[in-house]
Amino acid sequence: MASITSSGLRSNLDINSIVSQLISAERTPTQNRLNRKEATLQAQISGFGTVKSALSALERANTVLTATNTFMGIKATPGNSNLLTATALSSAPIGSYNIEVSQRAQGQTLASGTFSAVSSTVGTGTLTIEFGQYTGGDPQGLPPTPPTGFNPNADKSSLTLTIDDSNKTLEGIRDAINTAKKGVTASIINDGSTGGGYRLMLSSDDPGLKNSLKITAGGGDGGLASIAYDPTTGVNNLTETVAAQDAQIKVNGLSITSSSNTLSSAIAGVTLTLQDKGSTTLNLSRDTAAATNAVEGFVKAYNSILETVNKLSFYNAETGEKGALLGDAALRSINAQMRRILGDGVSGDSTFRTLSSVGVTLERDNTTKLDILKLDSSKLQQALGTDAAGVSKLFAGSGSGDTRVEGLSSRLNTFLDATLSRTGTLQGKTDSFNARLKDITGQRSALDQRMAKVEARYLAQFRAMDAIVGKMTSTGNYLTQQLAGLSAFYTNQS
């Protein structure tokens, strides 16, 4: 607001100070009212933000309970995790298995003869690398007959490289193979032998017999023949330093072969990862810990909502203190609807129909004086051990389509999704508060404009008064002078 000044020179009054005080006295009540209203709205917006955050946390915790696997999970426990690790789907059969790992799968590695330097020329022509050439792990001679069921790796395409003057060196061939990224990695090592000792190493990226290598050379100057390898025809110009082999295990005495150290079909629903050779047991049991943790997380998140609502809606009759959302109908409605959803039972053929049947009850907390959820873990464990599928139906529901029976968590998530959506209750309240804040901004602007006009009017009035006082002072001074002159005249006459 622009300031209009007047010094009050004629009346000797501090007009600016007087007008400022008058404006402040007139502005303050309205300004204080707007400040209080703004502070209240800000507190309400912050309060609903806190509620939204707590409800979002509850939704995340509750979503875990809507998944059937949370309750039907299977825990795979190996007797010796140094030999193997395991994970299991909910479909895995509960039981104990004896597992013997006699051989882990490994990829093949081939080494060339020695060269004097990495820049040594090997040769030009075409180099073709194929997969699935069985060697039987015998680098000294022709391989034995492939085992029953052995098939070359039909999933990998062969790699054909053109080697010319630009890449005919040891390092050039290495880089050409690696750039192709076709399932084989090339490297150069120095074995320390006299005269250089640089060797080209070729390793299959994946383990198993089906990923063993066949390397053929053709055309060019014939130099590439020094790195050809086809044991099926007796071409062994590369040395097999590591033989390709499949993993071999026994599950309860039944032999199983795999080209990978990760076996996903040896036991239905179970993935085994082989770490070492040896014998161990594998126990598959119901994973009640995951379900218990999920229910505990839900109970904690729900009670957090109750505590949040209590802090925002409390009233202290002795001190007059109150929460930012005291008496808010939307907050009461959200709290009431959640309590109703969790208090209802589920229909269908579930063994457990209510939360209390699995150990979750609503009880009075002496510290907070709130009715909060409490979990009897032993009762939940018993329910999971008796009928995990029934516990799952209580929370996650069962069936599909027209026969779908909603579980308590499924119902609650439907409500939370709607409440937290952009068109939900919380966003609607926040939008309303923000609109009222915007209105306060407009009222402040209007107040500034009105005060500017009042200030101008007061200053005009005081300037007029100052002019009148000035005239009166001038007239008084004149009369005083005249009277003083008359007094002197009469004094002289006498």
Side-chain angles (χ1 to χ4, degrees):
M1 179 173 64
S3 177
I4 304 173
T5 60
S6 180
S7 60
L9 296 175
R10 299 172 180 174
S11 61
N12 290 322
L13 294 175
D14 188 351
I15 293 177
N16 288 334
S17 177
I18 294 172
V19 171
S20 177
Q21 293 178 54
L22 289 172
I23 292 299
S24 177
E26 190 165 342
R27 171 192 287 275
T28 297
T30 301
Q31 184 168 277
N32 288 345
R33 176 178 59 81
L34 293 177
N35 288 344
R36 288 192 300 271
K37 191 174 181 180
E38 181 181 52
T40 298
L41 289 171
Q42 292 284 15
Q44 289 172 324
I45 291 173
S46 177
F48 270 103
T50 302
V51 171
K52 185 175 181 179
S53 178
L55 286 176
S56 295
L58 175 62
E59 184 177 39
R60 289 191 296 272
N62 187 59
T63 297
V64 180
L65 297 177
T66 64
T68 302
N69 287 344
T70 298
F71 305 94
M72 302 299 291
I74 298 296
K75 179 171 61 175
T77 307
N80 186 348
S81 58
N82 291 324
L83 297 185
L84 61 87
T85 59
T87 58
L89 302 176
S90 59
S91 59
I94 291 176
S96 183
Y97 301 84
N98 293 315
I99 299 178
E100 179 184 348
V101 182
S102 58
Q103 180 172 285
R104 293 180 72 249
Q106 63 185 24
Q108 185 182 42
T109 297
L110 303 173
S112 72
T114 59
F115 291 82
S116 61
V118 296
S119 59
S120 296
T121 297
V122 179
T124 61
T126 59
L127 195 66
T128 300
I129 301 175
E130 299 174 88
F131 300 89
Q133 305 305 308
Y134 179 70
T135 68
D138 180 12
Q140 303 303 319
L142 293 176
T145 303
T148 302
F150 170 74
N151 290 306
N153 189 356
D155 297 331
K156 288 185 178 178
S157 60
S158 61
L159 167 63
T160 299
L161 298 171
T162 298
I163 307 299
D164 54 27
D165 289 340
S166 67
N167 58 358
K168 64 183 179 181
T169 63
L170 203 62
E171 60 184 349
I173 294 173
R174 175 200 62 190
D175 295 343
I177 292 173
N178 290 337
T179 300
K181 297 180 180 179
K182 287 290 188 177
V184 60
T185 298
S187 60
I188 299 173
I189 66 167
N190 189 334
D191 64 10
S193 60
T194 303
Y198 290 94
R199 295 173 179 265
L200 180 67
M201 303 287 290
L202 301 177
S203 300
S204 176
D205 291 346
D206 299 310
L209 293 176
K210 70 175 185 178
N211 295 303
S212 56
L213 303 173
K214 172 185 175 182
I215 303 170
T216 56
D221 59 14
L224 293 179
S226 64
I227 55 174
Y229 182 80
D230 184 2
T232 61
T233 60
V235 177
N236 294 296
N237 296 330
L238 295 176
T239 300
E240 184 182 60
T241 58
V242 178
Q245 66 182 31
D246 287 340
Q248 295 179 3
I249 70 170
K250 287 183 179 180
V251 177
N252 288 346
L254 179 65
S255 296
I256 299 172
T257 300
S258 170
S259 63
S260 170
N261 288 313
T262 300
L263 292 76
S264 58
S265 58
I267 303 173
V270 178
T271 298
L272 303 174
T273 302
L274 308 183
Q275 307 287 351
D276 202 350
K277 295 189 294 183
S279 298
T280 186
T281 57
L282 177 66
N283 186 51
L284 302 180
S285 59
R286 184 69 64 192
D287 186 6
T288 58
T292 301
N293 291 338
V295 175
E296 287 177 345
F298 167 77
V299 168
K300 182 179 180 180
Y302 182 81
N303 289 339
S304 179
I305 286 287
L306 298 181
E307 293 173 4
T308 297
V309 170
N310 183 56
K311 290 178 181 179
L312 292 170
S313 59
F314 83 97
Y315 178 72
N316 188 321
E318 295 181 359
T319 63
E321 291 181 291
K322 61 181 180 179
L325 300 179
L326 175 65
D328 189 274
L331 196 61
R332 291 199 306 270
S333 176
I334 290 172
N335 197 26
Q337 289 187 70
M338 288 196 302
R339 186 163 181 165
R340 177 185 58 77
I341 290 171
L342 296 180
D344 288 346
V346 296
S347 58
D349 60 353
S350 175
T351 304
F352 308 102
R353 301 295 185 89
T354 63
L355 285 177
S356 60
S357 66
V358 296
V360 181
T361 55
L362 199 63
E363 298 181 19
R364 189 73 171 179
D365 183 77
N366 294 328
T367 302
T368 62
K369 307 303 180 184
L370 296 173
D371 292 330
I372 64 173
L373 289 181
K374 290 191 176 181
L375 171 63
D376 183 341
S377 296
S378 61
K379 189 171 183 178
L380 176 61
Q381 293 284 346
Q382 183 180 4
L384 289 167
T386 302
D387 183 9
V391 180
S392 174
K393 290 177 182 178
L394 172 66
F395 288 99
S398 60
S400 60
D402 294 338
T403 62
R404 171 69 178 171
V405 177
E406 291 292 333
L408 297 183
S409 291
S410 299
R411 294 179 196 167
L412 182 59
N413 254 15
T414 299
F415 168 73
L416 292 174
D417 283 344
T419 302
L420 293 168
S421 70
R422 291 187 177 183
T423 58
T425 303
L426 296 182
Q427 190 61 50
K429 294 289 294 187
T430 302
D431 289 344
S432 175
F433 291 144
N434 282 323
R436 291 162 65 182
L437 277 178
K438 186 176 181 180
D439 183 60
I440 288 177
T441 300
Q443 292 182 54
R444 281 206 173 96
S445 179
L447 177 63
D448 288 340
Q449 294 176 15
R450 182 165 63 85
M451 289 297 96
K453 294 179 180 179
V454 171
E455 182 182 37
R457 185 176 72 249
Y458 281 163
L459 287 172
Q461 291 172 343
F462 273 97
R463 282 199 298 269
M465 179 202 71
D466 188 53
I468 293 172
V469 170
K471 290 180 180 179
M472 292 178 64
T473 300
S474 178
T475 301
N477 290 336
Y478 173 75
L479 291 174
T480 299
Q481 292 174 359
Q482 294 300 315
L483 289 173
L486 288 173
S487 176
F489 174 77
Y490 287 114
T491 300
N492 294 330
Q493 291 296 321
S494 62

